């Protein structure tokens, strides 16, 4: 497959995903082999809303490939502040760089921006929309810990606003998975997403629940996301509801010994710190996987785009994403 | 009624006769009750002096009741026809010049409509002053913004960009 840009996880086929994950595994196993692979290549970082970790991991990934980054800086200090359109901004910056990474508060921003540029554009979050690079690192983590086929996964927390969740769910429809969605009723998956999941994955089984307990013992992976205070009218209601979707070692007594617990981070109190030291915890590993997976993506897109020496592999990919409605920021 | 048989043809006598137009568009076989939405889509509210005739809930062979809209001096563009399909999927459009029907086409639902509807999602990039044309995928039961992916199933007429 070939993609010019990475906008959403919906654009990714199973083969696309496997190409990225295989490449990430190669890089992970021998990072030195690619240390000069993209020497002289420049990546433009366009972050219209703060996202320290996503930005840092892209920067790290590019530098570990031998390249460098140029950073637009904060919106406050940029020409955007003066009212420049996104379309103009990307058309200017693409002239400086070999690829662009964009995070923007508006849904559809990456899709629109990609229509104005020729260099590869990777979506690093578009409002409540998509965050495909997060999805790929989530998939990589799932593959390493549980495998992607014959998978039973529980996705819990804020499923309404969590773009991470939507993107991951779409991508998983490429595999033989049973997906359980666990959330308070007010934060259920949007109907649009349910519609798409049914459209995409004939074999995907989707179930929605309001509690973890009935499905916990069947899960291979439990993916926890943060429930944000501002989704609730008052503090009391928030505490009451959010409290039902927090896990600790006692909660996990009913789980399989092989359960893998993931979280896009940052967490607040959805996962008790006591879980960190158990074999369940994979969320720090997940965070670290951001680098090899983003290296793989940059490598595939830059190679495909002909900025460098090929090794014969020509694949690119795309996908979707993650992010929790503006605030969570893997 | 005796005083207005301007037309000899009495087969049509029980059918509401809206006056023939000289140049313009006749939109026929609109589902009963949708005529005003058709006018809304076309941005016609009578304030510009257009000569418009509307027949509502007229007996029809194809439906139990149909609406019919005649607009003098206005030929629909393909974009307008495309959008019309969203609320009047069975409509027939006749373009009339000098009292003759010169083009007659059955409306077909397009795969996409561009530049006609505006996205209702305030967080959509298309609503923020960017140089981008709105684009909606036409679903069996609604439309979907190709940028933010919002699906609209009801009140599609309200999205018509009248700017
Ligand atoms: Zn939209």
């Amino acid at each position: 497959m070939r993609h010019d840009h990475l906008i959403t996880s919906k654009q990714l086929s199973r083969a696309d995903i496997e190409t990225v994950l295989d490449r990430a595994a190669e890089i992970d196993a021998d990072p030195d082999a690619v240390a000069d692979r993209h020497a002289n290549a420049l990546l433009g970082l366009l972050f219209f809303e703060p996202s320290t970790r996503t930005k840092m991991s892209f920067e790290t990934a590019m530098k570990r490939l031998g390249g460098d980054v140029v950073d637009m800086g904060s919106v406050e200090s940029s020409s955007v502040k003066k009212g420049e359109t996104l379309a103009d901004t990307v058309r200017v910056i693409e002239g400086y760089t070999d690829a662009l990474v964009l995070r923007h508060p508006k849904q559809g921003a990456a899709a629109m921006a990609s229509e104005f540029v020729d260099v590869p554009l990777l979506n690093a979050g578009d409002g409540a929309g998509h965050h495909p690079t997060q999805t790929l690192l989530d998939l990589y983590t799932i593959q390493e810990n549980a495998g992607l086929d014959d998978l039973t996964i529980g996705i819990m927390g804020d499923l309404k606003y969590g773009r991470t969740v939507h993107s991951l769910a779409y991508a998983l429809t490429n595999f033989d998975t049973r997906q359980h969605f666990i959330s308070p009723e007010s934060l259920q998956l949007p109907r649009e997403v349910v519609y798409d999941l049914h459209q995409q994955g004939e074999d995907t089984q989707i179930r929605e629940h309001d509690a973890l307990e009935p499905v916990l013992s069947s899960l291979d992976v439990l993916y926890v996301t943060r429930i944000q205070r501002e989704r609730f009218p008052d503090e009391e209601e928030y505490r009451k509801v959010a409290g039902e979707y927090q896990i600790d070692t006692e909660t996990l007594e009913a789980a399989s010994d092989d359960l893998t617990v993931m979280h896009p981070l940052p967490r607040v109190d959805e996962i008790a710190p006591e879980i960190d030291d158990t074999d369940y915890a994979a969320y720090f590993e997940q965070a670290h996987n951001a680098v090899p997976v983003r290296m793989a993506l940059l490598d595939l897109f830059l190679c495909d785009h002909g900025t460098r020496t090929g090794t014969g592999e020509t694949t690119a990919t795309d996908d979707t994403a993650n992010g929790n409605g503006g605030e969570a920021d893997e | 009624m005796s005083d207005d048989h301007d037309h000899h043809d009495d087969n049509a006598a029980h059918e509401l006769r809206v006056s023939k137009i000289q140049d313009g568009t006749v939109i026929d076989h609109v589902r009963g009750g949708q005529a005003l939405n058709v006018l809304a889509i076309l941005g016609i509210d009578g304030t510009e002096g257009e000569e418009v005739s509307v027949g509502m809930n007229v007996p029809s062979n194809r439906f139990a009741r149909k609406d019919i809209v005649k607009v003098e001096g206005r030929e629909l563009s393909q974009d307008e026809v495309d959008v019309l399909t969203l609320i009047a999927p069975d409509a027939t459009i006749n373009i009339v010049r000098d009292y003759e029907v010169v083009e007659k086409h059955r409306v077909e639902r397009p795969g996409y409509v561009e530049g006609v509807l505006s996205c209702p999602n305030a967080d959509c990039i298309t609503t923020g002053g960017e140089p981008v044309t709105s684009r909606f995928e036409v679903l069996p039961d609604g439309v979907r913004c190709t940028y933010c992916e919002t699906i609209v199933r009801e009140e599609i007429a309200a999205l018509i960009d009248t700017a």
Side-chain angles (χ1 to χ4, degrees):
Chain A
M1 58 109 229
R2 273 187 86 97
H3 296 287
D4 293 332
H5 308 284
L6 176 56
I7 306 301
T8 156
S9 63
K10 288 185 209 169
Q11 78 190 77
L12 296 179
S13 67
R14 180 177 177 127
D16 294 338
I17 293 167
E18 287 171 345
T19 299
V20 177
L21 302 192
D22 289 352
R23 187 74 186 119
E26 284 171 26
I27 290 171
D28 217 356
D30 187 8
D32 290 344
V34 293
D36 297 316
R37 191 165 162 84
H38 293 283
N40 302 322
L42 274 179
L43 178 65
L45 300 175
L46 304 173
F47 280 71
F48 288 80
E49 54 179 27
S51 169
T52 316
R53 256 174 278 189
T54 301
K55 190 153 109 175
M56 282 182 71
S57 68
F58 266 112
E59 186 165 353
T60 305
M62 192 61 185
K63 289 180 173 172
R64 292 226 183 271
L65 290 167
D68 208 342
V69 299
V70 289
D71 185 345
M72 178 183 80
S74 73
V75 171
E76 279 62 38
S77 61
S78 71
S79 52
V80 176
K81 190 80 176 171
K82 299 174 191 133
E84 185 174 64
T85 62
L86 175 61
D88 280 3
T89 303
V90 296
R91 277 181 284 190
V92 171
I93 309 299
E94 83 156 330
Y96 307 160
T97 59
D98 300 296
L100 296 171
V101 173
L102 174 69
R103 166 163 300 200
H104 195 278
K106 293 266 190 180
Q107 282 170 256
M112 186 211 74
S114 71
E115 295 174 2
F116 290 90
V117 298
D118 291 324
V119 302
L121 183 144
L122 309 189
N123 182 7
D126 58 339
H130 296 281
H131 192 358
T133 68
Q134 174 74 35
T135 298
L136 286 161
L137 73 89
D138 290 345
L139 293 171
Y140 184 71
T141 308
I142 293 170
Q143 184 176 63
E144 300 274 289
N145 285 275
L148 282 163
D149 275 312
D150 193 22
L151 174 76
T152 302
I153 185 170
I155 303 181
M156 181 167 82
D158 180 350
L159 309 183
K160 184 172 183 181
Y161 300 96
R163 63 187 165 200
T164 315
V165 163
H166 308 160
S167 292
L168 178 60
Y170 294 135
L172 285 170
T173 61
N174 287 293
F175 299 88
D176 173 18
T177 55
R178 289 163 297 279
Q179 301 191 47
H180 295 283
F181 295 96
I182 305 137
S183 71
E185 198 180 340
S186 62
L187 295 176
Q188 281 178 346
L189 284 179
R191 296 304 97 183
E192 264 95 352
V193 174
V194 174
Y195 172 90
D196 282 343
L197 291 176
H198 285 296
Q199 294 276 313
Q200 293 231 321
E202 288 163 23
D203 302 328
T204 303
Q205 299 174 41
I206 295 159
R207 300 263 185 287
E208 297 180 86
H209 311 269
D210 61 8
L212 174 61
E213 189 268 327
V215 294
L216 177 59
S217 63
S218 71
L219 301 181
D220 300 309
V221 172
L222 175 59
Y223 193 105
V224 183
T225 65
R226 177 149 54 107
I227 292 178
Q228 294 178 32
R229 163 71 187 87
E230 62 266 29
R231 307 299 179 209
F232 294 87
D234 60 63
E235 186 72 20
E236 193 186 343
E237 177 73 6
Y238 161 67
R239 291 201 169 281
K240 185 168 142 262
V241 173
E244 293 175 32
Y245 299 91
Q246 292 165 357
I247 60 168
D248 54 23
T249 49
E250 194 183 328
T251 319
L252 295 186
E253 277 170 16
S256 150
D257 288 345
D258 296 329
L259 177 72
T260 297
V261 175
M262 296 172 61
H263 190 298
L265 302 184
R267 67 176 153 174
V268 182
D269 44 17
E270 332 46 92
I271 299 178
E274 62 192 22
I275 294 179
D276 300 357
D277 297 324
T278 69
D279 290 340
Y280 299 126
Y283 29 92
F284 292 112
E285 174 192 339
Q286 181 185 359
H288 298 160
N289 285 338
V291 174
V293 170
R294 289 183 171 131
M295 286 172 79
L297 281 167
L298 290 170
D299 184 40
L300 293 166
F301 274 94
L302 288 168
C303 286
D304 234 27
H305 213 69
T307 53
R308 36 129 292 87
T309 75
T311 52
E313 302 117 335
T314 45
T315 12
T317 324
D318 314 49
D319 173 303
T320 259
N322 157 16
N324 279 343
E327 192 141 326
D329 145 59
E330 28 14 281
Chain B
M1 63 151 16
S2 52
D3 52 14
D4 82 328
H5 44 95
D6 45 339
H7 297 109
H8 24 268
D9 174 4
D10 259 22
N11 285 342
H14 58 280
E15 194 182 291
L16 177 67
R17 298 296 296 193
V18 258
S19 56
K20 275 198 161 196
I21 61 174
Q22 181 176 355
D23 297 291
T25 305
V26 177
I27 305 154
D28 199 357
H29 302 109
V30 176
R31 276 189 200 159
Q34 290 294 323
L36 296 181
N37 284 333
V38 168
L39 290 172
I41 281 195
L42 302 179
I44 293 171
D45 59 8
T47 58
E48 286 167 32
E50 310 94 330
E51 203 174 299
V52 180
S53 330
V54 176
M56 294 179 79
N57 295 315
V58 179
S60 155
N61 293 333
R62 200 183 298 171
F63 309 122
R65 299 275 164 177
K66 69 174 184 181
D67 286 3
I68 180 166
V69 176
K70 300 188 181 190
V71 186
E72 181 75 47
R74 170 92 175 259
E75 291 187 11
L76 294 198
S77 68
Q78 189 58 48
D79 278 352
E80 289 171 321
V81 171
D82 285 352
V83 178
L84 216 44
T85 65
L86 301 176
I87 61 157
D90 306 294
T92 321
I93 313 247
N94 298 326
I95 305 290
V96 178
R97 286 181 201 146
D98 200 18
Y99 297 105
E100 298 293 326
V101 173
V102 291
E103 280 179 59
K104 179 162 185 159
H105 38 101
R106 185 84 175 265
V107 170
E108 277 172 33
R109 279 170 89 79
Y112 292 87
V113 290
E114 290 191 21
V116 189
L117 305 176
S118 59
C119 187
N121 174 8
D123 290 324
C124 177
I125 191 71
T126 63
T127 64
E130 296 289 337
V132 61
T133 304
S134 75
R135 187 160 193 264
F136 285 78
E137 181 184 0
V138 178
L139 307 177
D141 59 346
V143 294
R144 176 174 224 181
C145 176
T146 59
Y147 291 94
C148 73
E149 306 185 331
T150 296
I151 296 176
V152 182
R153 294 199 169 83
E154 280 147 28
E155 307 274 325
I156 292 168
L159 304 183
I160 291 157
D161 194 349
T162 50

